[in-house]
Amino acid sequence: MYESFFGLNKKPFQITTDPSFLWMGKKHREALSTLKYGVMDNKGFLLLTGDVGTGKTTLINRLVEDIHGKAYTAKIPDPGLSKYDFYRMVSRYFGLPIEVRTKSDFLEPFSRFLNDAHEERKSVLLLIDEAQRLKHDLMEEIRLLSNLERQDVKLLNIFFVGQNEFNSILLQPENRALMRRITITYNIDPLDRAETCEYIRHRLKTAGAAYEIFSSAAMEEVFEFSKGFPRQINIICDLAMFFSSQVAKRTINRKIVNQCRERISFTVDESPAETENNIRAPAPKTRYRPIQKERWPWFTAARVFSVAVVLLVLGGVVYFTPDLVKDRARQWVRETYRTYFPITGEPSGSEQPVVDASQTADPGMATVDRHPFPETEKTPLAVEPRLRMPGRPPDLRFPETVDGPTRPTPAAKTAPTSVPPAAAVATPPSEPPDPADAIDWLLKKRSQELNP
């Protein structure tokens, strides 16, 4: 489309693996020489690895072209096959006129083919591309094929070409037998900045360019996008040449490359939280809440009605309770309070309350002082046997010493005229004993015993 505009013979940045466009940089020349030596010297198993788009397939195509006439080659583009399908494909690519139904149908003719090739002084190379797709059972079958050999020479060279993860597959324990048979390995790395510029110039020159179509700034931008992977370089350069021809610019600058970069870049939302190893942090934990089912309106109304009925029943019970029961409850609370919290000037819990009979019309009823409650009204109370309350605790007093000062005893309470004197004696002190005084007394007594 744009070849005539730039004066080219053909497109320089095709995605296809054309060996004529192979740029032989330092890394690629070293890889090609190493692999060619392994094939021509019958080293057995060879391995070529690299990331996606580093030019592995283009390199092996150049290898096959260089050894043409010196070796029989067969390339398996996709090894994701069953065992017998693999045998059938190998037989067809090597030109063996056989029909494979069992393993013996393949092994005997293939062994004769290898011996005949050795007599012709030709190597046999089996290329397996995309080796990371190999399964363990097929890898074992390929390993066993290498046993077809003579005592002094290998008859079959097996060349694995795969991505970097194939190295991890070989390191698995079940594949260690195959890994130990690999004699030559090589890994292709991406191009650096200078190699990227040379790669672009080489492909343009091979296509027939008479001048430098990409500016230096444009080639810098190409490297920033591609990170040195030849496949990505071809993609963005091809698109940049097309856009430049549309706007009638014979020299491609940084602006055109940036526009193309925006059209082929993927937008990915990056997580704000990442770990040190560039791994996305786990999502925050959210508490699971089950879906609440919608309740029927009548259920809510019934619940409100039930609460109202209960409140009405409780209110009726409280309202219609006889006053006598209420008065007895008040009297019990009053006596309990006075028993445990006595107040100076009032009778103890064992004493009878002061009853004023003159204030009542019924001789069987009496009024009782409701102190210490704040009410000043008199509540009628039937004269009945009082509730039995627990007795008072014994009066604890510390013995007085002879020569030391004694603790002053609290003044005796003034008992009402209606209370017998014996009851007034049993009234406890108004203040509880001080534990500090008890400890002082004990220490003083012990010192007297030690120093009489």
Side-chain angles (χ1 to χ4, degrees), residues 54 120 149 159 170 206 262 331 397 436:
T54 52
E120 298 175 12
E149 59 183 8
F159 191 179
L170 289 174
T206 304
E262 293 175 358
Q331 180 67 20
R397 298 177 180 273

Side-chain angles (χ1 to χ4, degrees), residues 22 78 87 113 115 120 158 184 188 228 260 273 294 329 340 415 442:
L22 177 63
D78 185 5
Y87 291 151
F113 167 74
N115 285 280
E120 298 175 12
I158 301 176
I184 294 178
I188 300 180
C260 298
E294 184 178 359
Y340 290 99
L442 182 61

Side-chain angles (χ1 to χ4, degrees), residues 96 265 293 351 367 380 402 409:
L96 302 181
S265 298
K293 294 183 178 180
E351 300 170 353
T367 58
V402 177
T409 58

Side-chain angles (χ1 to χ4, degrees), residues 428-448:
S430 60
E431 296 182 0
D434 190 1
D437 295 340
I439 295 174
D440 293 340
W441 172 83
L442 182 61
L443 293 176
K444 189 172 183 179
K445 182 178 180 181
R446 182 169 297 178
S447 62
Q448 290 177 358

Side-chain angles (χ1 to χ4, degrees), residues 1-3 8-14 21 203 207 238:
M1 298 176 65
Y2 52 79
E3 297 92 337
L8 304 177
N9 300 324
K10 54 183 177 180
K11 287 187 176 181
F13 298 105
Q14 292 283 12
F21 283 99
R203 295 189 75 100
D238 181 73

Side-chain angles (χ1 to χ4, degrees), residues 75-81 86 89 128-130 133-134 138:
K75 180 183 176 182
I76 308 298
D78 185 5
L81 305 169
F86 175 77
M89 186 171 290
I128 302 177
D129 202 1
E130 302 294 337
R133 288 176 48 82
L134 281 171
L138 188 55

Side-chain angles (χ1 to χ4, degrees), residues 92-118:
R92 185 168 66 253
Y93 285 169
F94 278 121
L96 302 181
I98 58 175
E99 185 177 354
V100 179
R101 291 189 179 90
T102 62
K103 189 174 181 179
S104 60
D105 293 341
F106 169 77
L107 288 180
E108 185 177 356
F110 188 66
S111 179
R112 291 198 304 266
F113 167 74
L114 295 177
N115 285 280
D116 294 341
H118 179 69

Side-chain angles (χ1 to χ4, degrees), residues 132-177:
Q132 71 276 358
R133 288 176 48 82
L134 281 171
K135 298 179 181 179
H136 173 66
D137 54 349
L138 188 55
M139 292 175 69
E140 279 295 302
E141 296 295 330
I142 295 174
R143 182 183 67 85
L144 295 175
L145 286 180
S146 64
N147 293 333
L148 300 175
E149 59 183 8
R150 292 188 177 184
Q151 295 181 356
D152 56 341
V153 66
K154 290 282 186 182
L155 299 179
L156 177 64
N157 297 286
I158 301 176
F159 191 179
F160 292 113
V161 181
Q163 299 176 12
N164 293 330
E165 54 264 29
F166 185 63
N167 294 325
S168 302
I169 296 174
L170 289 174
L171 291 175
Q172 295 176 1
E174 61 269 18
N175 298 325
R176 62 181 182 273

